[in-house]
Amino acid sequence: MTKLTPEQQRDFEAAAFRALRDHLRARPDVQNIDLMNLAGFCRNCLSNWYRDAAEAEGVTLSKEDAREIVYGMPYEEWRARHQTEASADQKAAFEKSHPRHD
């Protein structure tokens, strides 16, 4: 395996994050529930991880600000433009893959 410096690794990871973020922005037709059902994470998870990383470095970032970084616009605007009602099949798949623990 090629030995990377810590700086290279950080830079490449950051570039990979930006590519994923941009890909998800370009595919608003892919609903968050589909991402959750197939991959176990969605845009909101990505924004939470971004926020966690900021907070680990002592930077306070609101949930809304982190979501805007990932979505490319305020979350409520993205929802109004792109989010559709989940189908019965999508909801059933979500319940099967993410059962609630009461």
Side-chain angles (χ1 to χ4, degrees):
M1 182 170 137
T2 303
K3 181 72 172 160
L4 302 175
T5 67
E7 293 80 14
Q8 288 174 314
Q9 184 172 345
R10 179 202 60 223
D11 292 349
F12 299 159
E13 289 169 353
F17 165 80
R18 289 189 300 272
L20 175 59
R21 179 204 60 202
D22 294 348
H23 182 76
L24 291 173
R25 284 182 183 176
R27 291 295 313 269
D29 58 306
V30 178
Q31 297 293 298
N32 280 336
I33 194 166
D34 295 321
L35 290 168
M36 288 296 294
N37 287 342
L38 293 172
F41 81 99
C42 69
R43 292 168 182 89
N44 291 338
C45 298
L46 197 57
S47 69
N48 291 339
W49 299 333
Y50 191 97
R51 186 173 167 214
D52 291 345
E55 290 182 359
E57 293 298 318
V59 177
T60 300
L61 192 62
S62 73
K63 181 177 175 179
E64 293 78 18
D65 287 343
R67 284 184 174 184
E68 189 166 340
I69 289 166
V70 170
Y71 284 90
M73 65 184 70
Y75 177 61
E76 291 305 320
E77 181 181 338
W78 188 92
R79 286 184 64 195
R81 285 186 185 189
H82 304 294
Q83 187 167 316
T84 60
E85 179 66 31
S87 71
D89 288 343
Q90 288 170 314
K91 290 176 184 177
F94 184 82
E95 288 301 321
K96 182 177 179 182
S97 64
H98 299 84
R100 292 196 176 110
H101 300 285
D102 296 329

